[in-house]
Amino acid sequence: EDQMKEKLIVSLALLAVFFFWASELMLFKYHFVPDIGRSWQEKNYIYTLMMLVFGIVTLLEWDVLFPDRQDFVNLTPLPVRLRAVFSAKLASFILFVALFSTAMMSLSSVLFSIYLTQWRAESVLLSVRYVFAHLAAGFAACLAVFFAVVLLQVLLAAFLPAGLHKRASIFVRFALIAGLLFLLFSFFAAPSIVGRAFQDLDVLKESRHPFVFRFPPLWFVGLYEVLLGTRDPVFVAQARTAGLAV
């Protein structure tokens, strides 16, 4: 148990430092120029990285997302209601998501708050609002990623025979982790490798291009902006989609 705690603390610390460093690289320019409604593109970059990383983390925990046969055999004789088991598992899911999303977004949220509020107003309330929006939208994004993986596992278990399900799960898990790692390294090296749309986000937003409404990280960027008080119709539509996704 102590070794597991140490590994968890180290993993969370590494994630916090990684996202702090990535945020610093992107936001440094705001030392010299004010944010004139373009910082949502940096938020999209950070949220894309976060969702890719958390997707990999969730897939690494694939085997413990649901009670297995041994858990079922051990729990069934106990005088514990199914509702209690379900509630406990759901609570553990939410705590798992909250733990990792907070670790990834905590230091990053402070940076965003410092860089993006310095040109607007010296207000503690505004800084706190930025931190809250950053953490809340990040948690919602991670929650959507987590339960998308859970849904996939449920569908495999529901529609495949028991023997085939285990082999298919291994293949699907391997393919998804490999694919997400490829996207993560490619996107981190150069976003244009993943898609040229990242080079023209501002133009795509102004023209209401479908990519702006179909790219999942942008849904939660829209939620972020709405939590900050933005009433831009594009961000409102994205925030609505984020709510539906969650």
Side-chain angles (χ1 to χ4, degrees):
E1 183 179 357
D2 290 337
Q3 291 178 344
M4 289 297 295
K5 287 180 180 178
E6 290 171 2
K7 290 178 181 178
L8 180 62
I9 291 170
V10 170
S11 299
L12 295 176
L14 287 173
L15 287 173
V17 171
F18 170 76
F19 280 93
F20 177 85
W21 174 66
S23 300
E24 173 65 26
L25 287 179
M26 288 183 299
L27 297 175
F28 186 75
K29 64 182 180 183
Y30 291 113
H31 263 311
F32 312 103
V33 296
D35 173 23
I36 51 174
R38 296 180 59 87
S39 62
W40 63 274
Q41 298 179 59
E42 282 77 32
K43 294 166 187 170
N44 175 57
Y45 188 95
I46 281 293
Y47 274 49
T48 302
L49 282 178
M50 179 191 65
M51 292 176 76
L52 288 172
V53 169
F54 191 67
I56 295 168
V57 170
T58 305
L59 288 166
L60 291 175
E61 297 296 320
W62 179 281
D63 289 333
V64 295
L65 292 180
F66 287 106
D68 59 15
R69 180 174 177 79
Q70 184 178 354
D71 295 323
F72 179 78
V73 171
N74 290 335
L75 289 170
T76 301
L78 300 177
V80 180
R81 291 184 178 182
L82 181 61
R83 180 187 303 173
V85 176
F86 179 82
S87 300
K89 195 63 180 175
L90 181 61
S92 72
F93 282 171
I94 294 174
L95 287 173
F96 174 79
V97 174
L99 188 65
F100 275 87
S101 68
T102 301
M104 289 187 286
M105 294 287 101
S106 55
L107 298 180
S108 163
S109 68
V110 175
L111 271 186
F112 272 81
S113 174
I114 292 172
Y115 277 110
L116 300 181
T117 60
Q118 63 179 334
W119 297 94
R120 296 179 61 181
E122 294 294 333
S123 169
V124 175
L125 185 61
L126 181 61
S127 298
V128 171
R129 188 171 185 177
Y130 257 92
V131 171
F132 169 75
H134 198 90
L135 293 175
F139 173 74
C142 288
L143 198 68
V145 170
F146 181 84
F147 281 104
V149 175
V150 169
L151 176 61
L152 177 61
Q153 192 175 19
V154 167
L155 293 175
L156 289 174
F159 293 106
L160 294 178
L164 182 59
H165 167 250
K166 188 172 183 178
R167 292 193 293 271
S169 293
I170 294 173
F171 173 78
V172 169
R173 184 184 182 190
F174 171 79
L176 287 174
I177 291 177
L180 289 178
L181 282 172
F182 174 78
L183 287 174
L184 177 64
F185 291 134
S186 299
F187 185 78
F188 188 69
S192 59
I193 293 176
V194 180
R196 290 184 59 84
F198 275 86
Q199 298 177 340
D200 307 305
L201 279 175
D202 208 25
V203 175
L204 296 179
K205 177 178 176 292
E206 292 303 320
S207 63
R208 306 293 196 268
H209 192 279
F211 175 82
V212 176
F213 302 99
R214 294 175 184 172
F215 187 60
L218 282 173
W219 303 342
F220 299 96
V221 170
L223 176 61
Y224 191 147
E225 295 295 332
V226 168
L227 290 174
L228 290 175
T230 304
R231 289 296 174 260
D232 187 305
V234 173
F235 292 138
V236 171
Q238 290 170 337
R240 190 177 298 113
T241 306
L244 291 174
V246 172

